Amino acid sequence: MTSSAITPFRIDIPQADLDDLNDRLARTRWPDALPGVGWSYGVDRDYLIELTEYWRTGYDWREHEAQLNKIPQFTTEIDGQNVHFMHVRSPEPDATPLIVTHGWPSTPADFLDILGPLTDPRAYGGDPRDAFHVVAPSIPGFGFSGPTRDTGWDVPRIARAWAELMRRLGYHRYGAQGGDYGSLISPELGRVAPDRVIGVHVNALADAATVSGSGRELGDLSEDDQRKAIANQMWWFGHNGYATQMALRPQTIAYALNDSPTGQLAWNLEWFVDWDPTATDRAPVDRDRILTDVTTYWLTGTAGSAARLYRESGASWGSKPAPSGVPTAVANFLGDRAVRGLAEVANTVVRWTEYPVGGHFASLQAPTELVTDIREFFGAL
């Protein structure tokens, strides 16, 4: 019998697990690397050596564990799966409930910089009418929501779980926000519960950069959007190796990810560095934030489980579901590749904003702009 109880949760990692991590990092067996290739063959070896040494000798998990434990956290079982979530209620009684969803290779820790401004704008010089009660779950299979226990945890099933979570919390009308995989889950929540979701806000919109396999949408796009979509398709051909592996054979890579913390760090860095950390046009992600996510995966043994999301959702890759009718806002940060004409195939887009700052992880790279965009969108509904 499944329980619907909501249980307070506190992170408390045994010291033996941290000692084991430190020992494994110290014993990393480094591969060779060709001279002068930089990042063109994958994660740069010198960069990774330096970051791994910092992970071992400079990064303090206990500091970040304590920071996370300042945020109210809970677990509940939904559809047979343990679900971990942060739940920060605003001091403003009329605040709008908002569920925010991370992507891969992230955790809700990515939202630490936006939780305060969203829940308590008065304390940050904002308008109290813009306040939100924020729910930030860990996607099933990720971190403290993992590992998954059965197959089938695709985007629609996660969205149904989110609808149930919000129901249990007593939120009958609410907004949804997300980036990366969260940009797929949040609009799907609008399809699952259109009578509950008042609006959807997304960044790093993952399904609006390229056309579907049939390419039928291309002819309906403007010439400018066609050029963008074709350029995005060429870019994706050169950068989708990690996603193809996880979508087809996640168990194979899971052995390496679960056995080598350095290997797991390198795998996750494919996205966290926006492909090139030497680029000056996108804000870098703070290395402690990268390591908090990676360490969470390592300590919970969920790098392989998180990879399964790509396999579970593979059947719907490239498809464009019908719009739910829920008003949707898209924030395109620097480096994001969403094309408005493609976004409008699957979403009722009422707001589109291009930002010359940030990167793929807006809550980490442009938190102020992200919060402002969320406030303005929901404030206008």
Side-chain angles (χ1 to χ4, degrees), residues 45 63 73 109 172 191 229 234 249 260 266 276 303 318 331 346 350:
R45 185 175 183 268
E63 174 189 337
Q73 297 172 72
H172 302 295
R191 298 183 188 98
M234 297 304 297
R249 310 293 286 176
S260 169
D276 182 5
V350 299

Side-chain angles (χ1 to χ4, degrees), residues 36-89:
V37 299
W39 287 79
S40 63
Y41 279 54
V43 172
D44 180 76
R45 185 175 183 268
D46 292 341
Y47 180 92
L48 187 61
I49 288 175
E50 181 181 351
L51 186 57
T52 300
E53 182 62 15
Y54 173 73
W55 192 7
R56 188 178 73 85
T57 62
Y59 174 81
D60 184 356
W61 166 260
R62 293 300 187 200
E63 174 189 337
H64 295 278
E65 181 183 70
Q67 185 181 22
L68 289 168
N69 280 332
K70 293 178 181 178
I71 308 299
Q73 297 172 72
F74 305 86
T75 59
T76 190
E77 186 175 333
I78 302 176
D79 195 9
Q81 176 65 35
N82 175 66
V83 174
H84 160 267
F85 62 98
M86 297 175 175
H87 184 198
V88 186
R89 289 190 59 85

Side-chain angles (χ1 to χ4, degrees), residues 126-314:
D127 188 334
R129 292 175 295 180
D130 291 330
F132 297 90
H133 301 305
V134 176
V135 179
S138 297
I139 293 174
F142 286 62
F144 300 108
S145 280
T148 44
R149 300 167 181 168
D150 59 359
T151 60
W153 277 101
D154 57 5
V155 167
R157 188 174 177 184
I158 296 168
R160 291 193 296 271
W162 279 193
E164 171 60 16
L165 174 60
M166 296 302 274
R167 186 196 68 80
R168 289 186 190 180
L169 294 173
Y171 295 136
H172 302 295
R173 294 279 287 166
Y174 49 86
Q177 199 283 328
D180 190 82
Y181 250 102
S183 77
L184 307 181
I185 295 166
S186 298
E188 187 63 26
L189 181 54
R191 298 183 188 98
V192 167
D195 57 332
R196 304 283 189 179
V197 178
I198 62 174
V200 173
H201 182 285
V202 295
N203 62 282
L205 181 55
D207 67 346
T210 59
V211 296
S212 62
S214 68
R216 63 184 181 277
E217 304 97 340
L218 198 61
D220 297 329
L221 300 178
S222 67
E223 289 188 8
D224 186 49
D225 280 356
Q226 285 184 15
R227 284 193 294 269
K228 290 178 183 177
I230 293 170
N232 287 344
Q233 191 72 51
M234 297 304 297
W235 181 89
W236 184 236
F237 282 152
H239 295 85
N240 69 2
Y242 79 100
T244 300
Q245 176 66 39
M246 293 194 292
L248 298 177
R249 310 293 286 176
Q251 190 62 35
T252 301
I253 193 64
Y255 299 113
L257 298 179
N258 203 59
D259 190 60
S260 169
T262 301
Q264 184 192 294
L265 174 59
W267 190 254
N268 287 23
L269 280 174
E270 287 283 357
W271 272 116
F272 270 131
V273 296
D274 271 348
W275 295 104
D276 182 5
T278 64
T280 57
D281 58 345
R282 291 187 291 279
V285 179
D286 178 81
R287 61 182 180 175
D288 275 21
R289 294 303 180 85
I290 293 174
L291 292 174
T292 294
D293 283 339
V294 172
T295 307
T296 298
Y297 282 33
W298 177 261
L299 295 172
T300 57
T302 57
S305 178
R308 289 200 288 264
L309 176 60
Y310 284 74
R311 168 74 178 187
E312 302 295 351
S313 301

Side-chain angles (χ1 to χ4, degrees), residues 22 27 30-31 87 100 102 108 111 113 124 158 180 217 239 246 260 305 310 314-315 318 324 328 344 372:
N22 188 277
R27 293 186 295 108
W30 293 100
H87 184 198
V100 296
H102 64 86
F111 300 131
D113 288 344
Y124 290 81
I158 296 168
D180 190 82
E217 304 97 340
H239 295 85
M246 293 194 292
S260 169
S305 178
Y310 284 74
S324 64
T328 300
E344 290 175 339
T372 299

